[in-house]
Amino acid sequence: MASYSTNEFKGGLKIMLDNDPCSIIENEFVKPGKGQAFSRVKIRNLKTGRVIERTFKSGESVEAADVVETDMQFLYYDGEFWHFMVPDTFEQYSAGENALGDAKMWLKDQDICTVTLWNGQPLSVMPPNFVELTITETDPGLKGDTSGGGGKPATLETGAVVRVPLFVQIGELIKVDTRKGEYVGRSKE
Amino acid sequence: MLGDQKSNCDSFWAPSCSLEVLQLRAQVYASIRAFFNSRCVLEVETPLLNQASGTEPTIQFFETHDQSRLKQQTLFLQTSPEFAMKRLLASGSGSIFQLAKAFRQGEVGRFHNPEFTLLEWYRIGFDLDALMNETADLLVHLLPSLAKQKTMKVTYQTIFNNAVGVDPLSASVTDFSIAAERFELPDAQSVCGQNRSAWLDFLFSCVVQPSLVSIPLVMVYDYPACQASLARLKENNPLVSERFEVFVSGVELGNGFYELSDPVEQRCRFDAEIAQREQSALPRAAKDQRLIAALEKGLPNCSGIALGIDRLLMLRAGVDDIAEVLSFGFERA
């Protein structure tokens, strides 16, 4: 397995730490002029998402993690696994609930997602930043209210719930920012 | 990834600092020269490429080879101009200063560039306190933010004890390790092991230094004897050495020594460091016999200090990455 020296640490580098794949967020080189050098590193555990801080002796080497991010199309959910395909190669991958996390609230067939593979297995799935979903349930708004102030909860076709303005109705297609889980607007389609 | 490299090539031709900072550097150099000129300190120049290297196990030199001769010769880029300047002092130069490039492998970060600029100067007849005062004068001269600020002087022992709650001179490795746990530094044990000096560096960098950020200008003196470097041990207290460091707003700017002039002691320290390098499987250092010969001839009593000029410019320009004060930071060099 390849490894990296702390001198090569930088944001985005994937390493193995305590048997888990991790991504380096930030590396701070610390060294008193005449003294020992250290690397203080902020790291995200890619399995749990937790961010931790670790210190390494400068020059220490750490095992690289075989982690790649690939854009894939979401095909379907079979009740247990979510299935994805690499558009160029037609290679297919199936991911379980752990890998999906919050992404499952936003995925609709054919959406292009970023799938993180660790040793060839899906580790996590990032939905597109914006998705378009149909409202399946929401209280009817008051007639004549077009201001959008206040808002109301609406359930989407995937089961996700977002706050929408009062004038938005069942059956409408809306655009949602998946990073914040927020309504952006009615879809033009 | 390839895309990245291409866009790097496209934009990395340009300087990493602004035109204003380029001008600021020129101004600061002129102020430094005026300061020493008015104090009759001679500006000198010494070779960057040398036959001997530094020996400190914590500083890694670049080496290169002269292949123009039948017998290939190894040469070293200086890690500091100290040895050559001391040879000048021994030859009777009087007080001297130099603005010089120094080179250290692997030192890359927000405050580090492998090639950097030092202002190094030596004052004949100065003790450490006199040099601390002159250093403060120069910094006030160069950093307008320090005008009318008080210079704080504090011993290493006091400042370490205040911040860490442990006496740096008498504490055991176990005491250091308990303190590290208290400050939630779980890797300290695996990083420092049984090495006292590493523990001091680690706790100083992670706990003491952050506590200095709110102090405009502080001189920390009486460094522990195990961190004497090229300073003399204190005559009346061999637990500490005649060394100080200067920090501005928590940024380490320089190291000053009441210089070791005893050739026997110098040789011992070189040999100990060379042995330590061997133990740690570091590249072999070439002991500077010419420095020892110069000390044997006689180094006048003097104090000397090296200041990191790039960091000083960072403070002056208010930027937080060293590349922003270099014409071309390491990535663009």
Side-chain angles (χ1 to χ4, degrees):
Chain A
M1 193 68 216
S3 47
Y4 296 114
S5 152
T6 59
N7 294 327
E8 298 166 88
F9 280 9
K10 59 175 181 184
L13 198 76
K14 309 293 193 294
I15 58 168
M16 291 299 296
L17 208 63
D18 307 328
N19 300 317
D20 278 353
C22 296
S23 175
I24 291 178
I25 300 172
E26 209 177 78
N27 174 31
E28 176 112 15
F29 179 78
V30 179
K31 185 183 186 302
K34 297 279 175 191
Q36 299 273 335
F38 313 104
S39 279
R40 299 196 73 186
V41 190
K42 251 194 208 142
I43 299 167
R44 173 174 285 113
N45 182 317
L46 292 173
K47 259 175 142 174
T48 63
R50 270 188 50 208
V51 174
I52 49 169
E53 243 191 63
R54 293 287 294 263
T55 306
F56 297 87
K57 203 188 290 181
S58 194
E60 206 176 314
S61 70
V62 181
E63 197 188 323
D66 176 16
V67 170
V68 278
E69 289 177 353
T70 313
D71 282 347
M72 296 191 202
Q73 189 173 42
F74 172 50
L75 299 178
Y76 63 94
Y77 171 53
D78 67 9
E80 191 179 358
F81 291 103
W82 283 257
H83 297 266
F84 297 88
M85 181 182 74
V86 183
D88 298 341
T89 62
F90 307 116
E91 235 178 311
Q92 290 196 19
Y93 293 89
S94 55
E97 180 137 25
N98 276 341
L100 264 288
D102 286 347
K104 65 172 182 276
M105 298 201 309
W106 310 112
L107 289 192
K108 201 165 74 169
D109 301 0
Q110 307 198 1
D111 277 349
I112 300 289
C113 314
T114 305
V115 178
T116 303
L117 296 173
W118 174 38
N119 296 331
Q121 295 295 315
L123 183 68
S124 66
V125 176
M126 278 270 289
N129 289 344
F130 298 102
V131 290
E132 290 183 340
L133 296 168
T134 308
I135 295 178
T136 55
E137 211 184 304
T138 188
D139 287 337
L142 292 169
K143 204 174 160 92
D145 185 345
T146 54
S147 69
K152 60 183 179 178
T155 308
L156 308 176
E157 57 182 309
T158 55
V161 177
V162 294
R163 282 199 81 75
V164 298
L166 295 175
F167 58 79
V168 178
Q169 303 301 342
I170 293 180
E172 282 192 83
L173 192 65
I174 62 163
K175 193 172 173 186
V176 178
D177 183 336
T178 60
R179 292 163 295 185
K180 297 183 264 179
E182 274 174 14
Y183 167 89
V184 178
R186 281 198 275 198
S187 180
K188 298 289 182 296
E189 267 182 85
Chain B
M1 224 31 200
L2 262 175
D4 266 13
Q5 273 170 15
K6 183 161 180 335
S7 67
N8 282 354
C9 291
D10 289 346
S11 63
F12 274 30
W13 70 268
S16 49
C17 75
S18 65
L19 179 58
E20 287 74 27
V21 172
L22 218 52
Q23 291 162 339
L24 188 63
R25 183 180 285 269
Q27 270 171 37
V28 165
Y29 282 17
S31 306
I32 290 170
R33 292 193 161 108
F35 179 89
F36 285 114
N37 195 21
S38 73
R39 294 179 180 221
C40 300
V41 180
L42 177 70
E43 180 166 10
V44 296
E45 192 188 71
T46 57
L48 300 181
L49 201 54
N50 291 283
Q51 293 176 36
S53 67
T55 52
E56 290 153 287
T58 55
I59 295 180
Q60 308 318 325
F61 44 74
F62 285 91
E63 62 176 78
T64 183
H65 306 281
D66 183 345
Q67 284 155 335
S68 65
R69 307 174 179 205
L70 280 180
K71 190 168 170 282
Q72 175 181 298
Q73 188 186 16
T74 303
L75 294 165
F76 303 89
L77 284 174
Q78 69 177 8
T79 53
S80 127
E82 179 154 11
F83 296 169
M85 289 180 81
K86 283 183 175 167
R87 285 164 60 194
L88 288 179
L89 292 164
S91 76
S93 65
S95 295
I96 48 177
F97 82 96
Q98 171 164 216
L99 277 162
K101 283 288 182 76
F103 304 83
R104 298 179 185 178
Q105 253 192 71
E107 303 196 2
V108 188
R110 242 164 27 90
F111 288 101
H112 295 82
N113 198 69
E115 173 179 350
F116 60 103
T117 301
L118 282 175
L119 164 63
E120 182 140 338
W121 79 94
Y122 292 86
R123 292 297 243 137
I124 293 191
F126 272 38
D127 62 11
L128 207 60
D129 198 57
L131 186 65
M132 278 196 258
N133 292 339
E134 184 165 76
T135 303
D137 290 347
L138 176 70
L139 289 174
V140 170
H141 179 67
L142 299 177
L143 293 170
S145 63
L146 293 180
K148 297 195 188 114
Q149 296 285 358
K150 238 185 79 197
T151 303
M152 189 175 150
K153 288 182 193 166
V154 59
T155 65
Y156 186 99
Q157 185 177 27
T158 304
I159 202 136
F160 194 98
N161 209 341
N162 286 351
V164 184
V166 167
D167 176 22
L169 303 181
S170 64
S172 67
V173 163
T174 315
D175 297 331
F176 290 139
S177 145
I178 293 167
E181 261 170 55
R182 213 169 47 241
F183 289 98
E184 294 178 13
L185 299 163
D187 303 312
Q189 185 65 51
S190 67
V191 168
C192 305
Q194 295 299 307
N195 182 341
R196 272 189 75 85
S197 197
W199 273 107
L200 293 173
D201 287 336
F202 185 90
L203 291 168
F204 197 94
S205 301
C206 297
V207 183
V208 182
Q209 215 177 327
S211 77
L212 305 180
V213 170
S214 57
I215 308 173
L217 175 57
V218 56
M219 312 270 177
V220 179
Y221 64 99
D222 281 2
Y223 265 64
C226 67
Q227 305 211 322
S229 196
L230 293 171
R232 301 182 193 207
L233 295 186
K234 214 161 188 175
E235 228 161 55
N236 53 8
N237 181 6
L239 286 178
V240 298
S241 60
E242 298 260 25
R243 168 184 169 193
F244 77 94
E245 282 216 26
V246 52
F247 297 85
V248 171
S249 305
V251 176
E252 181 198 29
L253 276 191
N255 254 294
F257 304 133
Y258 185 35
E259 302 292 347
L260 183 64
S261 60
D262 175 358
V264 179
E265 171 73 16
Q266 181 68 65
R267 188 174 275 134
C268 282
R269 290 197 199 176
F270 273 163
D271 289 341
E273 288 180 340
I274 287 170
Q276 231 178 308
R277 289 187 72 92
E278 211 156 296
Q279 242 176 33
S280 317
L282 291 167
R284 268 179 79 121
K287 181 158 55 171
D288 195 338
Q289 302 289 4
R290 290 169 186 168
L291 171 67
I292 293 172
L295 297 185
E296 275 162 358
K297 158 94 182 15
L299 181 74
N301 279 336
C302 64
S303 291
I305 178 171
L307 281 186
I309 291 304
D310 308 304
R311 289 189 192 164
L312 187 136
L313 281 165
M314 287 173 72
L315 291 162
R316 177 79 191 262
V319 299
D320 60 6
D321 191 331
I322 196 164
E324 293 176 65
V325 298
L326 300 169
S327 58
F328 301 99
F330 193 54
E331 279 197 311
R332 299 181 184 220

